[in-house]
Amino acid sequence: MTKDYILRGTVHNNNFRVFAVNSTNCVQTARDLHDLSPIATLLLGRMISAAAMLSWDLKDEESEITMRIDCEGDIQGAIVICTQNGFLRGYTKNPRLFYATREDNFKVGKAVGKGTLTISKDKKGTRSYFSTIELISGEIAEDLAYYYQQSEQIPTAVNLGILIDKEAKVRSAGGFIIQQLPYADKKIADVIKENIAQTPNLSDLMDMGLSIPEILSRFVFKGLQWQINAEKEIAYRCNCSYELFSKALLLLGKEELQSLKEGIKPVCLYCNKEYNFSSEDIQSLIEQLQEQK
């Protein structure tokens, strides 16, 4: 099995920077863990690809980027987090949304409806930066390009593709982000724009066996010079643990914990793993709170 990865590169004498990702395995893992419907797979999959590429700008090893959709549509919203070292996790609020009309199960924008896109960068649990925009389509790629234009004033092209077969297997998932730097040659920008317009569906090309670099070379940057400057693997990996859930339960306080004296089995939103806290475990947490006073 080919491993997922993200790459970073430059185009035409550093006039543009490019990020690209093959996220097929990550999206398949998310689909399996959450038993996602087709429309939920498309939404979360696009967000996984986008968050993976956005994570490249993180500088600290203990930092992470969060991409969040809050919306009025039937899908209700979704969230994806990617750490600086390329570990992704996420979930949708309505993971099994299914429409009676087949075509509607592939219209992400319709399922999302009106809403907002928020991107935040966090370090050691402390939010260091965040920005929110109104969604313009709910199709994610267009919204992310608009986010860059509004929040950072950077002309940006975003392409996010996913292909799912009849058995709900993710055949391919990936994407690219191209950003025009301030001193870029506008003629080259026009060439890239035209190339993108003539590029076949990204996920179809991936399904045909073309790698992301091959797609960029043969189609997106056709006739242009570009290079890969760095590449690293990514993977869907949740960071949940018994210790983290214990800390979260402690935040509830003594009275709330006492109401859970029969025990509790919380489930991680990101990987669906269940943690069993017995009545004895709850009592132990209460005693910890008492010792802290």
Side-chain angles (χ1 to χ4, degrees):
M1 180 183 294
T2 302
K3 294 182 178 180
D4 289 355
Y5 61 90
I6 52 177
L7 63 82
R8 179 184 63 192
T10 52
V11 186
H12 192 71
N13 298 321
N14 298 322
N15 276 211
F16 302 80
R17 68 174 189 165
V18 57
F19 304 94
V21 60
N22 182 332
S23 58
T24 305
N25 298 320
C26 289
V27 178
Q28 181 66 59
T29 299
R31 200 228 69 83
D32 294 342
L33 283 173
H34 299 295
D35 190 22
L36 298 175
S37 66
I39 193 71
T41 302
L42 291 176
L43 173 62
L44 196 64
R46 291 176 183 178
M47 292 177 65
I48 284 173
S49 293
M53 291 187 284
L54 291 173
S55 73
W56 204 296
D57 280 336
L58 297 172
K59 307 302 180 184
D60 190 277
E61 291 185 359
E62 297 183 356
S63 60
E64 59 187 22
I65 194 159
T66 300
M67 185 175 187
R68 181 187 184 102
I69 296 289
D70 295 291
C71 62
E72 299 176 3
D74 296 328
I75 199 72
Q76 299 177 19
I79 184 170
V80 172
I81 300 173
C82 187
T83 64
Q84 190 271 347
N85 53 12
F87 295 142
L88 292 136
R89 63 190 189 275
Y91 68 90
T92 60
K93 294 183 179 179
N94 191 357
R96 295 174 183 83
L97 173 63
F98 192 84
Y99 292 109
T101 303
R102 181 182 181 279
E103 290 76 13
D104 288 343
N105 291 291
F106 300 92
K107 297 178 180 179
V108 175
K110 180 178 180 179
V112 170
K114 295 181 179 179
T116 58
L117 164 64
T118 299
I119 294 176
S120 62
K121 298 178 183 179
D122 307 272
K123 179 180 178 181
K124 295 182 179 179
T126 301
R127 179 171 294 181
S128 57
Y129 166 87
F130 82 96
S131 181
T132 299
I133 63 160
E134 295 289 329
L135 297 172
I136 60 172
S137 72
E139 295 291 341
I140 311 306
E142 294 93 331
D143 297 303
L144 185 56
Y146 180 69
Y147 164 84
Y148 273 113
Q149 184 62 51
Q150 294 298 309
S151 299
E152 302 183 21
Q153 291 75 52
I154 302 176
T156 303
V158 182
N159 188 310
L160 303 170
I162 301 177
L163 182 63
I164 308 172
D165 67 16
K166 295 181 179 180
E167 284 70 43
K169 178 182 178 181
V170 179
R171 296 180 64 93
S172 62
F176 60 78
I177 295 174
I178 303 170
Q179 296 185 319
Q180 180 178 322
L181 299 178
Y183 48 80
D185 186 335
K186 300 298 175 59
K187 293 182 179 180
I188 300 300
D190 291 338
V191 172
I192 294 175
K193 183 177 180 180
E194 181 63 25
N195 283 350
I196 292 175
Q198 296 182 12
T199 299
N201 187 283
L202 177 68
S203 56
D204 287 340
L205 292 173
M206 294 176 66
D207 189 51
M208 291 168 59
L210 294 180
S211 67
I212 291 294
E214 288 174 330
I215 294 170
L216 292 174
S217 294
R218 293 175 57 177
F219 297 96
V220 181
F221 301 135
K222 181 180 179 181
L224 301 174
Q225 292 184 340
W226 80 286
Q227 64 183 23
I228 298 173
N229 298 325
E231 182 177 324
K232 65 180 178 181
E233 294 180 9
I234 59 172
Y236 193 103
R237 183 179 301 179
C238 188
N239 66 345
C240 70
S241 66
Y242 184 89
E243 291 72 21
L244 286 176
F245 271 93
S246 296
K247 292 179 180 179
L249 288 171
L250 286 171
L251 295 175
L252 296 176
K254 181 179 178 180
E255 291 186 6
E256 187 68 23
L257 284 174
Q258 287 177 331
S259 70
L260 303 173
K261 61 181 180 180
E262 298 301 322
I264 186 175
K265 294 182 179 180
V267 177
C268 177
L269 290 171
Y270 299 100
C271 68
N272 282 333
K273 183 176 181 179
E274 182 180 87
Y275 290 87
N276 183 16
F277 287 82
S278 65
S279 57
E280 291 81 8
D281 295 327
I282 297 297
Q283 182 58 41
S284 176
L285 292 175
I286 293 173
E287 292 174 357
Q288 288 184 47
L289 286 176
Q290 293 174 335
E291 291 173 359
Q292 293 174 5
K293 293 184 177 181

Short mmCIF file of all heavy atoms in Angstrom, two decimals, residues 105-131:
data_model
loop_
_atom_site.label_atom_id
_atom_site.label_comp_id
_atom_site.label_asym_id
_atom_site.label_seq_id
_atom_site.Cartn_x
_atom_site.Cartn_y
_atom_site.Cartn_z
N ASN A 105 -26.38 12.83 -2.78
CA ASN A 105 -25.35 12.26 -1.91
C ASN A 105 -23.94 12.63 -2.35
O ASN A 105 -22.97 12.21 -1.71
CB ASN A 105 -25.50 10.74 -1.85
CG ASN A 105 -26.74 10.31 -1.11
OD1 ASN A 105 -26.85 10.49 0.10
ND2 ASN A 105 -27.70 9.75 -1.82
N PHE A 106 -23.84 13.42 -3.42
CA PHE A 106 -22.54 13.85 -3.90
C PHE A 106 -22.45 15.38 -4.00
O PHE A 106 -21.47 15.91 -4.50
CB PHE A 106 -22.24 13.21 -5.26
CG PHE A 106 -22.21 11.71 -5.21
CD1 PHE A 106 -23.36 10.97 -5.47
CD2 PHE A 106 -21.05 11.03 -4.84
CE1 PHE A 106 -23.35 9.58 -5.41
CE2 PHE A 106 -21.04 9.65 -4.77
CZ PHE A 106 -22.18 8.92 -5.04
N LYS A 107 -23.48 16.08 -3.50
CA LYS A 107 -23.51 17.53 -3.52
C LYS A 107 -23.16 18.07 -2.14
O LYS A 107 -24.04 18.33 -1.31
CB LYS A 107 -24.87 18.02 -3.98
CG LYS A 107 -25.23 17.61 -5.41
CD LYS A 107 -26.63 18.08 -5.80
CE LYS A 107 -26.97 17.66 -7.22
NZ LYS A 107 -28.36 18.10 -7.59
N VAL A 108 -21.86 18.22 -1.89
CA VAL A 108 -21.39 18.63 -0.57
C VAL A 108 -21.94 20.01 -0.19
O VAL A 108 -22.37 20.23 0.94
CB VAL A 108 -19.85 18.63 -0.52
CG1 VAL A 108 -19.36 19.18 0.81
CG2 VAL A 108 -19.32 17.22 -0.76
N GLY A 109 -21.92 20.93 -1.15
CA GLY A 109 -22.39 22.27 -0.87
C GLY A 109 -23.82 22.30 -0.39
O GLY A 109 -24.18 23.07 0.52
N LYS A 110 -24.68 21.45 -0.95
CA LYS A 110 -26.08 21.39 -0.55
C LYS A 110 -26.21 20.85 0.86
O LYS A 110 -27.02 21.32 1.65
CB LYS A 110 -26.86 20.52 -1.52
CG LYS A 110 -28.34 20.41 -1.18
CD LYS A 110 -29.08 19.58 -2.21
CE LYS A 110 -30.56 19.49 -1.85
NZ LYS A 110 -31.34 18.70 -2.85
N ALA A 111 -25.40 19.85 1.20
CA ALA A 111 -25.46 19.26 2.54
C ALA A 111 -24.93 20.21 3.60
O ALA A 111 -25.33 20.15 4.76
CB ALA A 111 -24.68 17.95 2.57
N VAL A 112 -24.00 21.08 3.20
CA VAL A 112 -23.41 22.04 4.14
C VAL A 112 -24.31 23.26 4.32
O VAL A 112 -24.59 23.68 5.44
CB VAL A 112 -22.01 22.47 3.65
CG1 VAL A 112 -21.48 23.63 4.49
CG2 VAL A 112 -21.04 21.29 3.72
N GLY A 113 -24.73 23.86 3.22
CA GLY A 113 -25.57 25.05 3.31
C GLY A 113 -24.80 26.26 3.82
O GLY A 113 -23.58 26.35 3.68
N LYS A 114 -25.51 27.18 4.45
CA LYS A 114 -24.87 28.36 5.00
C LYS A 114 -24.05 27.99 6.23
O LYS A 114 -24.41 27.10 6.98
CB LYS A 114 -25.91 29.41 5.37
CG LYS A 114 -26.67 29.98 4.19
CD LYS A 114 -27.66 31.03 4.65
CE LYS A 114 -28.43 31.63 3.48
NZ LYS A 114 -29.42 32.64 3.93
N GLY A 115 -22.95 28.72 6.42
CA GLY A 115 -22.13 28.43 7.59
C GLY A 115 -20.83 29.19 7.58
O GLY A 115 -20.65 30.15 6.83
N THR A 116 -19.89 28.72 8.39
CA THR A 116 -18.59 29.38 8.51
C THR A 116 -17.46 28.36 8.44
O THR A 116 -17.62 27.19 8.78
CB THR A 116 -18.48 30.15 9.84
OG1 THR A 116 -18.67 29.23 10.93
CG2 THR A 116 -19.50 31.26 9.92
N LEU A 117 -16.32 28.85 8.01
CA LEU A 117 -15.07 28.09 8.03
C LEU A 117 -14.13 28.78 9.00
O LEU A 117 -13.87 29.99 8.86
CB LEU A 117 -14.45 28.04 6.63
CG LEU A 117 -12.97 27.61 6.55
CD1 LEU A 117 -12.81 26.17 7.01
CD2 LEU A 117 -12.44 27.80 5.12
N THR A 118 -13.65 28.03 9.98
CA THR A 118 -12.69 28.58 10.94
C THR A 118 -11.41 27.76 10.88
O THR A 118 -11.45 26.53 10.90
CB THR A 118 -13.25 28.53 12.38
OG1 THR A 118 -14.44 29.31 12.44
CG2 THR A 118 -12.23 29.09 13.37
N ILE A 119 -10.29 28.45 10.81
CA ILE A 119 -8.99 27.80 10.84
C ILE A 119 -8.20 28.38 12.01
O ILE A 119 -8.10 29.60 12.16
CB ILE A 119 -8.22 28.02 9.52
CG1 ILE A 119 -8.95 27.29 8.38
CG2 ILE A 119 -6.78 27.50 9.65
CD1 ILE A 119 -8.33 27.50 7.03
N SER A 120 -7.70 27.49 12.86
CA SER A 120 -6.94 27.94 14.03
C SER A 120 -5.64 27.16 14.14
O SER A 120 -5.55 26.01 13.73
CB SER A 120 -7.76 27.78 15.31
OG SER A 120 -8.07 26.41 15.53
N LYS A 121 -4.63 27.82 14.68
CA LYS A 121 -3.34 27.20 14.95
C LYS A 121 -3.13 27.20 16.45
O LYS A 121 -3.27 28.24 17.10
CB LYS A 121 -2.22 27.96 14.24
CG LYS A 121 -2.34 27.95 12.73
CD LYS A 121 -1.25 28.77 12.05
CE LYS A 121 -1.42 28.81 10.55
NZ LYS A 121 -0.37 29.62 9.87
N ASP A 122 -2.83 26.04 16.99
CA ASP A 122 -2.70 25.90 18.44
C ASP A 122 -1.36 25.30 18.81
O ASP A 122 -0.80 24.48 18.08
CB ASP A 122 -3.82 24.99 18.98
CG ASP A 122 -5.19 25.46 18.55
OD1 ASP A 122 -5.77 26.28 19.27
OD2 ASP A 122 -5.67 25.02 17.49
N LYS A 123 -0.87 25.69 19.98
CA LYS A 123 0.37 25.15 20.52
C LYS A 123 0.17 24.80 21.98
O LYS A 123 -0.21 25.65 22.78
CB LYS A 123 1.51 26.17 20.38
CG LYS A 123 2.84 25.69 20.94
CD LYS A 123 3.92 26.75 20.78
CE LYS A 123 5.23 26.28 21.39
NZ LYS A 123 6.29 27.32 21.26
N LYS A 124 0.37 23.52 22.31
CA LYS A 124 0.23 23.03 23.69
C LYS A 124 -1.13 23.42 24.28
O LYS A 124 -1.24 23.85 25.42
CB LYS A 124 1.35 23.57 24.57
CG LYS A 124 2.73 23.07 24.20
CD LYS A 124 3.80 23.60 25.15
CE LYS A 124 5.18 23.07 24.77
NZ LYS A 124 6.24 23.59 25.68
N GLY A 125 -2.17 23.28 23.46
CA GLY A 125 -3.51 23.56 23.94
C GLY A 125 -3.87 25.02 24.00
O GLY A 125 -4.98 25.39 24.40
N THR A 126 -2.97 25.91 23.59
CA THR A 126 -3.23 27.35 23.61
C THR A 126 -3.41 27.86 22.19
O THR A 126 -2.55 27.67 21.35
CB THR A 126 -2.07 28.12 24.27
OG1 THR A 126 -1.89 27.64 25.60
CG2 THR A 126 -2.38 29.60 24.30
N ARG A 127 -4.55 28.47 21.92
CA ARG A 127 -4.81 28.97 20.58
C ARG A 127 -3.97 30.22 20.33
O ARG A 127 -4.09 31.22 21.03
CB ARG A 127 -6.29 29.28 20.40
CG ARG A 127 -6.64 29.84 19.03
CD ARG A 127 -8.14 29.92 18.81
NE ARG A 127 -8.73 28.58 18.78
CZ ARG A 127 -10.04 28.36 18.58
NH1 ARG A 127 -10.86 29.37 18.43
NH2 ARG A 127 -10.50 27.13 18.58
N SER A 128 -3.11 30.16 19.33
CA SER A 128 -2.24 31.28 19.03
C SER A 128 -2.75 32.13 17.86
O SER A 128 -2.35 33.27 17.68
CB SER A 128 -0.83 30.77 18.70
OG SER A 128 -0.87 29.85 17.62
N TYR A 129 -3.65 31.53 17.06
CA TYR A 129 -4.17 32.25 15.89
C TYR A 129 -5.44 31.59 15.43
O TYR A 129 -5.57 30.36 15.44
CB TYR A 129 -3.14 32.21 14.76
CG TYR A 129 -3.69 32.64 13.41
CD1 TYR A 129 -3.71 33.99 13.04
CD2 TYR A 129 -4.22 31.70 12.53
CE1 TYR A 129 -4.23 34.38 11.81
CE2 TYR A 129 -4.74 32.09 11.30
CZ TYR A 129 -4.74 33.43 10.95
OH TYR A 129 -5.26 33.81 9.75
N PHE A 130 -6.45 32.37 15.03
CA PHE A 130 -7.62 31.80 14.39
C PHE A 130 -8.30 32.85 13.52
O PHE A 130 -8.19 34.05 13.78
CB PHE A 130 -8.60 31.22 15.42
CG PHE A 130 -9.49 32.25 16.06
CD1 PHE A 130 -10.77 32.49 15.58
CD2 PHE A 130 -9.05 32.97 17.17
CE1 PHE A 130 -11.59 33.43 16.17
CE2 PHE A 130 -9.87 33.90 17.77
CZ PHE A 130 -11.15 34.14 17.27
N SER A 131 -8.98 32.39 12.50
CA SER A 131 -9.68 33.28 11.58
C SER A 131 -10.93 32.56 11.07
O SER A 131 -10.89 31.36 10.79
CB SER A 131 -8.78 33.68 10.42
OG SER A 131 -9.45 34.56 9.54
#
